[in-house]
Amino acid sequence: MKKTVFVGALAVAGLSAGIAAADTLADVQARGKLNCGVATGVPGFAYTDANGDWQGFDVAVCRAVAAAVLSDPTAVEFVPTTGKTRFTALASGEIDMLARNTTWTFSRDVDLKFDFIGINYYDGQGFMVSKELGVSSAKELDGATVCIQTGTTTELNLADFFRINNLSYEPVPIETNAEAQQQYLAGACDVYTTDASGLAATRASFEDAANHVILPEIISKEPLGPLVRHGDNEWGDVVRWTLNALIAAEELGVTSANVAELASAAGNNPEINRLLGTEGTLGEMLGLDADWAVKALSVSGNYGEVFEKNIGETTPIGLARGLNAQWTSGGLLYSPPFR
Amino acid sequence: MTDIKFVRDAMVEEQEPPAATAGFVGWIRGNLFSSTLNAILTILSGGFILFVISALLPWIISPTWNAGSLRECHEILAGHEGACWGVIRERWLQLLFGFYPSELYWRVVLDFVLLIVAVAPVLFTGLPRKMLAFSAIYPFLMPWLLWGGTVWLPIAVAFGFVLGFLAHRFAKPIIGGLGGAILAFLVPVVWWLFLAGPVSGGLASVLPLALETVESRNFGGFMLSITIGVVAIAISLPIGIVLALGRQSDLLIVRSLSVGFIEFIRGVPLITLLFVASTLLNIFMPPGTDFDIIMRVIIMVTLFASAYMAEVIRGGLAALPKGQYEAADALGLNFWMSQRLIIMPQALKISIPGIVSTFIGVFKDTTLVSIIGLLDPIGLSTTIRADQNWNGIVWELYGFIGLLFFIFCFSMSRYSMFLERKLQTGHR
């Protein structure tokens, strides 16, 4: 009897939490700060610079949303989350959104009751080997020793891949990326496998980067994207369309350099006009100012600019656009129309 | 008379001891080469130390202090092995202070300097007793300096203790000892829960004396470790004493509460308590409550340390001969007087090594907070490595963090040895 009362009290507490947190947009505006969950450190995606400011590809999403909602890209409280704390932090309302290279999976979306609002990076698991090994395809890796982070989806993907191709391997379990780099360089394993973006960042840190290759096979789908709680669709829309605005701006040729000029008066491209608020009432529909997208784009430009600045080919990480190119250039980025 | 061949009429001068048994050579012979086996062991371990140093020194002495990234380090070293110290030059302030605003670093430094001032009179009985007044003020000064905000809040909190004391003083003659004790507990709690906030708010609007507020999220690095460690250590000792006494009490409820608390907390790993602090509390608390994450962690670490402290002190109490208790009773002392004058001074003295090792353990355990996403030195090392400039650096960061931890822990343990010598009264 006592137990049911206790459970009931918990349920009521949980329910009231859900109801009270249902208007995140108003909460954020009243607070004047966006609580954004980020990773504690993923090269190129989230890190702190020497001044203690957060930088990176995921961080840029937080800043764009803060600019759109609060007109201030610095009005963000970055909450570092680990793989273990990220989902409870979001579910409990400690953070308003999570932008922490999190793979969109069925169970996270449905069972954990989150809404993935889009995909900001299409990743996939790859392999890195030393050139001395003379391997050009992952299918030649029979009998190799593989450094693999335990307790991750990559571990399961690896087992699947080798089983399907009828190959054998010897796993070397490791805990963190830093440990993996040391083990791989020390020759404890022939192959290091993790997300391709992580491999590129790791390779870039090697003294002899040219002696290591990333094999062409990508053995899993890892669509990474920001997410929000279930049940607050207005807030979900704000985050979703802020990300879409960054993507659409690249397609439409709106950059941080020309956004102010394009937004000063209505031009002859109606979609740009609607995006930048010089025509139509899209901002009002979201509950934001008419120039919300202008503010979001003024922070660090459109999707392509953010990509180039943080993880693109000019950076040490040097990722090619690949799947993350616009659909017009053979990639998968495809923003629904602003209409 | 002429039979006498020789009479010494002058004292022989004191001679230097043989060269082989005195000075440097004597010390070496006595301590390092006193037997064949010792000589072999000395040579072997000397060779090992030389080997380690010769491998480490060229790595440590490396001209990379001014490098701006790992790549620059590689260029400077041009293929030679060597550490990349540029990361320490660029990030040492971050490792010490986290994201605390740099123009406010003085507050943190001042806080920890004052900590030493406040602790000194407690530890060194030779200092003037008036300094203890500052030690009493310090617990309220410290959070104000670290977090900032209005000065009236810590004053209001301190006033709660005054209220409790007054309630005890004036209610005791009227409603008796037990009622007085209950009032002394209830009055401050009511004050803190319902009145301290509005009163300090009101005073602040009349006379706004305030420091710039710093959010807990900006705490990080060693400052975070020391804050959590010092607060937990300071509060866990009194709680531990109370729990240890409670566990020995004849009152059933007090005893079972103490035993239940100690056994429950000791039966749960610290990391579990931290997860409760970071995730579970969040879900169960009423929505909208913004209960500071660092506060939650400090409370959990304090509870954890208190349970261990209680058992250490219980060990000290158990080591006292029964005669000491009986002597105190025979002198007609009441419970608290006998504890204060006779039992506790001896029990605490016996427990010093255990207490200090609990302190050191708690301080080092604070690194576990990196698992729940707080950026203590270990957590910061991850974000620093995520900066592409420093990706791939491992030993330099961990070495620096390890060195600082060693300095703190080593000085604590030396201090405990000093205390033991000072308090030695010759029972053994």
Side-chain angles (χ1 to χ4, degrees), chain A residues 100-142:
Chain A
R100 184 202 186 279
N101 57 352
T102 301
T103 308
W104 185 349
T105 67
F106 181 94
S107 59
R108 285 172 181 173
D109 198 336
V110 177
D111 194 31
L112 293 182
K113 306 224 178 310
F114 295 125
D115 276 341
F116 283 81
I117 55 91
I119 293 164
N120 69 336
Y121 190 83
Y122 289 90
D123 213 337
Q125 187 177 343
F127 299 97
M128 176 165 65
V129 294
S130 161
K131 261 197 183 141
E132 291 166 16
L133 216 59
V135 172
S136 58
S137 157
K139 296 196 172 142
E140 300 166 23
L141 287 176
D142 197 16

Side-chain angles (χ1 to χ4, degrees), chain A residues 140-182:
Chain A
E140 300 166 23
L141 287 176
D142 197 16
T145 50
V146 184
C147 275
I148 175 86
Q149 287 187 45
T150 51
T152 58
T153 49
T154 51
E155 196 180 13
L156 307 173
N157 296 335
L158 179 76
D160 288 355
F161 175 79
F162 276 77
R163 202 173 108 194
I164 291 168
N165 290 293
N166 214 1
L167 305 170
S168 70
Y169 71 102
E170 193 185 325
V172 179
I174 41 118
E175 201 54 49
T176 63
N177 190 43
E179 193 191 337
Q181 293 184 16
Q182 297 290 312

Side-chain angles (χ1 to χ4, degrees), chain A residues 10 17 40-44 46-50 52 77 79-80 82 85 88 92 94 178 181-182 201 204-205 207 316-317, chain B residues 70-71 74 90-91 94 99 217 275 278-279 282-284 287 370-373 375 382-383 385-388 391-392 394-395:
Chain A
L10 285 190
T40 49
V42 174
Y47 61 92
T48 54
D49 63 14
E77 195 74 55
V79 180
T82 67
T85 62
T88 30
S92 69
E94 190 182 351
Q181 293 184 16
Q182 297 290 312
S205 74
E207 208 171 343
I317 299 179
Chain B
L70 184 59
R71 215 159 303 101
H74 287 326
E90 191 184 294
R91 299 299 180 107
Q94 206 173 73
F99 306 125
R217 279 279 163 214
F275 272 120
S278 88
T279 58
N282 245 343
I283 293 175
F284 290 156
S370 64
I371 297 178
I372 57 168
L375 294 179
T382 316
T383 71
R385 256 200 316 271
D387 186 342
Q388 197 55 40
N391 188 5
V394 180
W395 300 110

Side-chain angles (χ1 to χ4, degrees), chain B residues 38-116:
Chain B
N38 279 357
I40 294 172
L41 287 178
T42 300
I43 291 168
L44 280 183
S45 29
F48 179 71
I49 293 172
L50 271 185
F51 170 73
V52 170
I53 290 180
S54 66
L56 270 185
L57 266 192
W59 183 79
I60 292 175
I61 301 173
S62 146
T64 46
W65 187 249
N66 288 316
S69 70
L70 184 59
R71 215 159 303 101
E72 279 182 35
C73 280
H74 287 326
E75 281 166 21
I76 293 173
L77 292 169
H80 297 288
E81 284 283 304
C84 184
W85 294 118
V87 66
I88 305 295
R89 177 191 54 81
E90 191 184 294
R91 299 299 180 107
W92 70 277
L93 277 174
Q94 206 173 73
L95 282 169
L96 288 183
F97 295 103
F99 306 125
Y100 212 83
S102 54
E103 69 276 10
L104 300 178
Y105 281 167
W106 64 269
R107 269 162 52 179
V108 182
V109 175
L110 178 69
D111 214 34
F112 291 127
V113 170
L114 288 182
L115 170 68
I116 297 171

